[in-house]
Every structure is written in structure tokens, then in C-alpha cells.
Amino acid sequence: MLSVAVQTGAASADSNAAAAHQRPIPLVGKVDTGALPAKLTPSQRAELIRDANATKADTAKDLGLGAKEKLVVKDVVQDRDGTAHTRYERTYDGLPVLGGDLVVDTAKSGKTNGVTRAVSTKLRNVDTTATVKPAAAEKKALSLAADAGSKKTTADRAPRKVVWMAQGKPTLAYETVVGGLQDDGTPNQLHVVTDAATGKKIYQWQAIENATGTGNTRYSGTVSLSTSGSGSSYSLNDTVRGGHKTYNLNHGTSGTGSLFTDSDNVWGDGTNSNTQTAAADAHYGAAETWDFYKNTFGRNGIRGDGVAAYSRVHYGNSYVNAFWDDSCFCMTYGDGSGNNDPLTALDVAGHEMSHGVTAATAGLNYSGESGGLNEATSDIFGTGVEWYANNSSDKGDYLIGEKIDINGDGTPLRYMDQPSKDGGSADYWSSGVGNEDVHYSSGVANHFFYLLSEGSGSKVINGVSYNSPTSDGLPVTGIGRDKALQIWYKALTEQFTSTTNYASARTGTLAAAAALYGSSSAEYKGVENAWAGVNVGSRDGGGDPGDPGDPGNGTFENSNNVNIPDGYGSAASNISVTGISGAAPSNLQVSVDIRHTYRGDLVVDLVAPNGAYARLKDSSPTDSADNVTGTWTVDASSVAAAGTWKLRVQDVYTGDTGYINDWKLVFP
């Protein structure tokens, strides 16, 4: 047990620091099964959503939302230990708030454990009277779509007034959705947000999400398909998996098409000239994707509600692409160059349908760094589907679209071990990565996932050679693909929001790893090191962006600023202690400098490498002074000195902000 006392002369510190408590130390590598998703029936999920709707007004009040703000329940995910993760959208004075989404984590006891917000800005005093007319907003959106190469553009619906908040500052705006076709023939759903006071464009994103340039597929060999019918009449209707149906567009570009039927329940002949062959691949890919999510994460269908999507094949003429469309809740495949090679490879199916999972959960904006994370999520889970299927004709690998030969020379579309091998994708994060095409900026997260799964360096896996470098030249040890998938899924469904960028993705995956395996586990450190390997954060949880270590004389300090999220947020600044063997001293000195406008909001803990912690300061709603500065003496003799120590700061009220400015450990 760690015990703590305030040293004489400590300034601006809580003089009633409580004795610390030690929590159980999780076994390294052992999953906390209570943090895994519960397998809910549709009725159980519906009941959770009803309960959340019944209490959403109280939740809004607890979160400190304004009188004009209301919460809209989008989804509820529940862990096996009863912890609920409720995802909300928000309205202001009746208008949708884009970027106002948030996730509230609630323990089984009803206590709020934390809140993850798309943006931390408060929403106050927005004038909802527009200066610009809706027609002008529509005209602007159509012009932007035409400039982007869209064809046959029309407004799918009249511009709607919204409050745009995704970039921090709440602004009254119009959202216009432009239909028609993109320049390559893909359906268009361009969302354009324009300022309702000036008419200028604020933001735009494409809601049709696709894997650009896929083609020349091979097939998955002889497989079992779940169909409907009997005797001499069968259809591609998978009633085992929510009623997933596969349709033939017969080179059309609209509508549902015709459901595939057959007289002998034998579909296709393995050649592109038989129209059923592409349908068999698509139907198989949808089934494997459904099973992957259900058996790996306990997710029942794309939206988690047991309802199937559907597939459409033979879209357009010589269409070299495939795409997910959330408005029809469907997956669509083109036939490739010359209509000779339907784009129905297994990892393509898993990739595209995973866009539906992202839309149903985090809703990652398809632009900037969040767009790269959106694409990478589909690559990650598409890869997961391929490994899950365990198909001898299409073995699991860390290559994207390796069967489609888009380049004409047998090379894959994308590489996860070293993304830049495709000639455009980013291996590592940089300040400009969000300006790249989302299919290229996704390389950062793809590379992270490979490092987390398999580690760095050269190796051969399933007959494929890989060589994965790191941004800092230091090695990364993988934790295994299965654990990496669990961490990414938990972060996506419980931590990520519409505006998540790479820095916050690191925070979200660390939170997921801590919940699943413990914050002192090899898996947690693996996440830290894999992100450091792609230039996002530092190793072993060091401060952002560095871990300065020991400047000498037994003093270890971290002076990198770490922002503290307002209102049920948590921040951590880490120090790596090296060169000291044996137990920590009974008089460990902890000096803290936290800048904050209302220190009574803060709970401050020192967390030892083994997960034990000492409470340095508790919250107090009546302590309105600024800042927390001072020195505490901690009896840390029960734990080892070497390892990563953390200063953990939790903000348990809303309305004030601050950051960790500096802290140090002194080993006498």
C-alpha cells in the first residue's frame, strides 16, 4: 500500500490529502472479461436505449449542458460487468449539433465514470436566426460539388439549419447534401456545411465511402452459402444472418436490382462470365463479416440490432470500385475494368461493410485525420475478416486488396507493415497528414495496427514476407492480432467520436487497453510503443511528446504540458524511472505544478508502475482558488522504483479548464 503525507510548507495544495488505497494488480496478458462487450439480444439493447432516453434530461443536467441543449440517444453498448457506454447526439434550440456527439460511461451502480466529447467547447448563446437564405446555401453546395467533378448534381434534400461545432467554435450553419454521381461514377452524397451568416463554406465531406481503385478479383474457392428456398427455387437470402440478400444491378446504377435466384442452389462457376460468381463472392463476404463481428466482439449485425444490410453486384459499366452507402444500408460492387473482374474479394467486403459499423458507432468524419482513421478502421477490420474466415484460397495477411491486382503486376492495393510501399500512404504521423487523401492518411493507423499485432522488423507470416520499420528506430513487440482487434473495437465503439484525430485515437486505444488488460500490462505498453513507432506520442506513456527521464541526482521530471479535459475528463503525465533498483523509498518526494482556474474540480493521484496509487488531492466544490502546486511525501516502499510512474488528474466538474504544467519525483 502507498501512503501519503503533505510536506511542511507545501503551497496551494490540499492539506487534507487522503491515505491512498491499492487496487488489485491485473495479471499481465489476462483479459478482464468484465470489460468485454456483453452479448445483448435486440430486446435487451432496445431496453437499454429506452432507459437512456428516459434519463437523458437528467444526464444533460449532470453534464452541465445549457437550457437550450438536449441529448438524443444514438446507441448503448454494455460490458459484461454492467458498465454502459451511451452515445448521444445533441440539439441546440431544436437544431442538430454537428460535432456535439459524446459518450457517457456509467458503472452498474449508476455512477458516471467518464465522458468523451467530440469537442470540449461549451455551447452557449448561439443566435439561431439565419442571414443567408436556404436557396443560397444550396447553390453554394451545388457549385462546390460541380468543382469537385460531380455529375448530375442535385440537392438530395433542402438545406437544414444546424449548429456546426466540429471545429470547436459553435456556428449557425446550413448542411446541404448533394446527390448525383462523383467523377468516377460512384454515387454522390457530398455534405456541405455553409455559414448561415456569411454563406461561406465551413466544411464538406463525402458520405459515400469506398476503397478506391479495387479490381481484378480472384475468388474464395468452393464455400458454403446460406440461402433460402427449396425444391427448384432458391434465392440469395441469408435468413441465418438477419436476412442478408444479394441483388443483381445488371450494370445499372440505381435501385435495388433483382434478387439472385437459382434452380439448383449452386451459384456461379468460378468465372467472371457467369453473373452468379460475383454474387457468390459478395454473399460469402457478407456472411463472414457478420460472423466475424458476432463471434469476435458479440456484435449482432452492422448496427448491432440484428438487422442485415444487403449487397448489390454488377454496378455500372467498367466500374473499378466498391462502396458502402449508409443511406440504403447496402454494399455495392463494380465489375472492374472491361466488366471482367468483379470487385468482390473477401477483405474488400469486410472493409466496405466495416464503414457501416463506423457510421453506426463513432461516425468518424470522412475528411482530415478522422477520415484517415475511418478508412484505417475498415482496413483493420477487413483484415480481421480475412484472418477470421481462414479460407485456404485467401489466407490471412496484412495486405489490402492483394487478390485484385489493381496495379497489374500482382502487388496489393495497400500494405499495413510499411504503408509507403504503395507509393502514397503515410508510414508515420506528421502535422500535414490530415491534408492527404483519406486512403493515404490511413497508413498511420494501419501501420500502428500491424506493429501492435506483430511487432517491428522482418518476418514471414502465412508465407508473406514483411519488414516493418518504426519512426524512432526502436523495436516494438507485438501483442497478437486478436488482442489488437479487441482494443481497436473497444476504442471505436466507446471512445472515438466524429472528430477523433490521431492524438485522441492514441488516448482512446490506451483507455481500451487499460480496461481490457490493465494499465500496467504488456498490452497497454504495447499500445504506447506501437503509437510511438508511428510518431504519435512517446514510449511507455511518456509525456506528450517526450519523456525526459532522469536529469540527475535521483530527480525525474516531466515538464511537457498535458491538457486536462473539462468535466469528467482525465489526463495523465508520465515519468519513466530507470537506473534505480529495488523498492521505492518511504519518503518519495512528489512535486506538482498544475495550472487550473478552479482547483476544487480536480482529483490528483500518483500512480505507481504496478498500478497502486496515492491520493494527493481530492475534489472540493467550495475550493475556488486557482492552481495546484506543492510537494507531497509518499511512502512508496511497497512497490518497485523502476518503471513508469503517472500523475493522474481527473476533472470531476464542468466549467473550468487547465493543464499539467510540470511535475517531478525525487528519490532521496
Side-chain angles (χ1 to χ4, degrees), residues 55-66 69-71 88 90 104:
T55 59
K56 63 185 180 182
D58 291 336
T59 302
K61 184 177 180 181
D62 292 342
L63 294 175
L65 302 187
E69 296 177 79
K70 295 184 185 299
L71 294 175
Y88 296 94
R90 205 183 329 177
V104 178

Short mmCIF file of all heavy atoms in Angstrom, two decimals, residues 55-66 69-71 88 90 104:
data_model
loop_
_atom_site.label_atom_id
_atom_site.label_comp_id
_atom_site.label_asym_id
_atom_site.label_seq_id
_atom_site.Cartn_x
_atom_site.Cartn_y
_atom_site.Cartn_z
N THR A 55 -33.80 8.97 -19.10
CA THR A 55 -32.96 9.74 -18.17
C THR A 55 -32.10 10.79 -18.87
O THR A 55 -31.25 11.40 -18.23
CB THR A 55 -32.06 8.79 -17.37
OG1 THR A 55 -31.23 8.06 -18.29
CG2 THR A 55 -32.88 7.82 -16.53
N LYS A 56 -32.32 11.00 -20.17
CA LYS A 56 -31.41 11.88 -20.90
C LYS A 56 -31.47 13.33 -20.43
O LYS A 56 -30.47 14.05 -20.48
CB LYS A 56 -31.67 11.80 -22.40
CG LYS A 56 -33.06 12.24 -22.84
CD LYS A 56 -33.25 11.98 -24.34
CE LYS A 56 -34.63 12.43 -24.81
NZ LYS A 56 -34.84 12.12 -26.25
N ALA A 57 -32.63 13.77 -19.94
CA ALA A 57 -32.72 15.15 -19.42
C ALA A 57 -31.86 15.30 -18.17
O ALA A 57 -31.15 16.31 -18.00
CB ALA A 57 -34.17 15.50 -19.12
N ASP A 58 -31.91 14.31 -17.28
CA ASP A 58 -31.07 14.35 -16.08
C ASP A 58 -29.59 14.26 -16.45
O ASP A 58 -28.74 14.92 -15.84
CB ASP A 58 -31.43 13.19 -15.14
CG ASP A 58 -32.81 13.36 -14.52
OD1 ASP A 58 -33.28 14.51 -14.42
OD2 ASP A 58 -33.42 12.35 -14.13
N THR A 59 -29.29 13.45 -17.47
CA THR A 59 -27.91 13.34 -17.91
C THR A 59 -27.39 14.67 -18.44
O THR A 59 -26.27 15.09 -18.14
CB THR A 59 -27.78 12.26 -19.01
OG1 THR A 59 -28.24 11.01 -18.50
CG2 THR A 59 -26.35 12.11 -19.47
N ALA A 60 -28.22 15.35 -19.23
CA ALA A 60 -27.83 16.66 -19.76
C ALA A 60 -27.55 17.65 -18.62
O ALA A 60 -26.58 18.42 -18.68
CB ALA A 60 -28.93 17.20 -20.67
N LYS A 61 -28.37 17.60 -17.60
CA LYS A 61 -28.18 18.48 -16.44
C LYS A 61 -26.88 18.14 -15.72
O LYS A 61 -26.10 19.02 -15.35
CB LYS A 61 -29.36 18.36 -15.49
CG LYS A 61 -29.30 19.31 -14.29
CD LYS A 61 -30.55 19.17 -13.43
CE LYS A 61 -30.50 20.11 -12.23
NZ LYS A 61 -31.70 19.97 -11.37
N ASP A 62 -26.62 16.83 -15.52
CA ASP A 62 -25.40 16.40 -14.84
C ASP A 62 -24.15 16.81 -15.61
O ASP A 62 -23.10 17.08 -15.02
CB ASP A 62 -25.40 14.88 -14.65
CG ASP A 62 -26.46 14.42 -13.66
OD1 ASP A 62 -26.95 15.27 -12.88
OD2 ASP A 62 -26.81 13.22 -13.67
N LEU A 63 -24.27 16.84 -16.94
CA LEU A 63 -23.13 17.22 -17.77
C LEU A 63 -22.94 18.72 -17.86
O LEU A 63 -21.98 19.19 -18.46
CB LEU A 63 -23.30 16.65 -19.18
CG LEU A 63 -23.27 15.12 -19.31
CD1 LEU A 63 -23.57 14.71 -20.75
CD2 LEU A 63 -21.92 14.58 -18.88
N GLY A 64 -23.84 19.47 -17.27
CA GLY A 64 -23.73 20.93 -17.29
C GLY A 64 -24.13 21.56 -18.60
O GLY A 64 -23.68 22.67 -18.92
N LEU A 65 -24.98 20.87 -19.39
CA LEU A 65 -25.42 21.45 -20.65
C LEU A 65 -26.38 22.61 -20.41
O LEU A 65 -27.06 22.66 -19.38
CB LEU A 65 -26.10 20.39 -21.52
CG LEU A 65 -25.28 19.14 -21.87
CD1 LEU A 65 -26.04 18.27 -22.86
CD2 LEU A 65 -23.91 19.51 -22.43
N GLY A 66 -26.46 23.51 -21.37
CA GLY A 66 -27.30 24.68 -21.24
C GLY A 66 -28.78 24.36 -21.39
O GLY A 66 -29.17 23.27 -21.82
N GLU A 69 -29.98 23.07 -24.75
CA GLU A 69 -29.36 21.85 -25.25
C GLU A 69 -30.14 20.61 -24.81
O GLU A 69 -30.57 20.52 -23.67
CB GLU A 69 -27.92 21.72 -24.75
CG GLU A 69 -27.00 22.80 -25.25
CD GLU A 69 -25.60 22.66 -24.67
OE1 GLU A 69 -24.83 21.83 -25.18
OE2 GLU A 69 -25.28 23.37 -23.70
N LYS A 70 -30.29 19.68 -25.72
CA LYS A 70 -30.93 18.41 -25.41
C LYS A 70 -30.08 17.28 -25.98
O LYS A 70 -29.40 17.44 -26.99
CB LYS A 70 -32.35 18.33 -25.98
CG LYS A 70 -33.33 19.33 -25.37
CD LYS A 70 -34.74 19.13 -25.92
CE LYS A 70 -35.70 20.20 -25.41
NZ LYS A 70 -35.83 20.18 -23.95
N LEU A 71 -30.15 16.12 -25.33
CA LEU A 71 -29.44 14.95 -25.78
C LEU A 71 -30.36 14.03 -26.57
O LEU A 71 -31.55 13.91 -26.26
CB LEU A 71 -28.85 14.17 -24.60
CG LEU A 71 -27.75 14.87 -23.81
CD1 LEU A 71 -27.35 14.04 -22.60
CD2 LEU A 71 -26.54 15.14 -24.69
N TYR A 88 -24.49 9.73 -27.43
CA TYR A 88 -25.52 10.74 -27.63
C TYR A 88 -25.16 11.67 -28.78
O TYR A 88 -23.99 12.01 -28.99
CB TYR A 88 -25.67 11.63 -26.38
CG TYR A 88 -26.15 10.94 -25.13
CD1 TYR A 88 -25.22 10.47 -24.20
CD2 TYR A 88 -27.50 10.78 -24.85
CE1 TYR A 88 -25.64 9.86 -23.02
CE2 TYR A 88 -27.93 10.17 -23.69
CZ TYR A 88 -27.00 9.71 -22.78
OH TYR A 88 -27.42 9.11 -21.61
N ARG A 90 -26.59 15.65 -30.05
CA ARG A 90 -27.06 16.80 -29.27
C ARG A 90 -27.85 17.75 -30.17
O ARG A 90 -27.57 17.85 -31.37
CB ARG A 90 -25.86 17.54 -28.68
CG ARG A 90 -26.19 18.32 -27.43
CD ARG A 90 -25.04 19.13 -26.87
NE ARG A 90 -23.70 18.61 -27.06
CZ ARG A 90 -22.61 19.26 -26.66
NH1 ARG A 90 -22.73 20.44 -26.06
NH2 ARG A 90 -21.41 18.77 -26.86
N VAL A 104 -21.01 8.72 -22.76
CA VAL A 104 -21.00 8.73 -21.30
C VAL A 104 -20.83 7.30 -20.80
O VAL A 104 -21.60 6.41 -21.18
CB VAL A 104 -22.30 9.34 -20.73
CG1 VAL A 104 -22.30 9.29 -19.20
CG2 VAL A 104 -22.46 10.78 -21.20
#
